[in-house]
Amino acid sequence: MIKDSQYDAGLELRRQMFGAAGAEDQVENTTDLNDKMQEVVTRYCFGDIWQREGLDRKTRSLVTLAMLVATGRSHEIRIHLRGGIANGLTEEEIRELMLHSFLYCGIPAAMDGFRAAEEILAESRETANA
């Protein structure tokens, strides 16, 4: 992996959004098969695109979640819900995004989003109360 300032910025943002499990653990546990993909995600997704001006991180989280619901990516929805909460999304905003998604993505996609949201919001509440 090429590690430079853009990579470092991406790793720091991943750490802020997803904690160590979504940052160091992801890149330190790469294999020969997926190491380049982790570099691309860290450097370009989080070290470049997520850090551009024009949209704040909270808005980027909403947009990302909407696209993940639309494409039926339940696993990634859970990951980005955690990141969205770290970026300031409220339960109400998450609820409204999931409800709105049924209009354009369909009821099954929205229901997958709601299930993921219920799971991650419950996890977030437990963490906050611990």
Side-chain angles (χ1 to χ4, degrees):
M1 282 192 204
I2 300 169
K3 297 183 179 179
D4 57 13
S5 60
Q6 187 174 342
Y7 179 90
D8 292 343
L11 189 60
E12 177 58 28
L13 181 53
R14 286 181 82 171
R15 187 180 303 115
Q16 291 170 16
M17 289 177 62
F18 309 115
E24 288 85 5
D25 291 356
Q26 287 290 316
V27 297
E28 290 174 6
N29 294 310
T30 61
T31 65
D32 289 341
L33 181 65
N34 69 7
D35 65 336
K36 188 63 177 176
M37 182 57 73
Q38 283 298 328
E39 179 185 345
V40 167
V41 168
T42 302
R43 170 177 279 108
Y44 298 109
C45 294
F46 292 100
D48 183 9
I49 302 300
W50 269 84
Q51 303 213 26
R52 291 177 54 82
E53 293 181 17
L55 293 175
D56 60 32
R57 286 173 32 186
K58 185 175 178 180
T59 303
R60 287 186 191 277
S61 285
L62 282 169
V63 170
T64 300
L65 284 166
M67 289 187 284
L68 292 171
V69 170
T71 56
R73 303 294 191 243
S74 297
H75 176 76
E76 293 292 322
I77 291 169
R78 285 171 174 78
I79 292 168
H80 279 277
L81 280 164
R82 289 183 188 101
I85 291 166
N87 287 338
L89 291 181
T90 66
E91 280 195 41
E92 181 180 12
E93 290 167 329
I94 292 167
R95 181 190 70 225
E96 291 303 317
L97 180 140
M98 297 306 169
L99 181 61
H100 194 78
S101 71
F102 103 83
L103 294 171
Y104 298 94
C105 305
I107 291 173
M111 291 308 298
D112 281 348
F114 272 114
R115 280 190 284 279
E118 287 173 354
E119 176 187 325
I120 301 308
L121 289 169
E123 174 186 288
S124 179
R125 284 186 219 105
E126 287 175 18
T127 303
N129 292 331

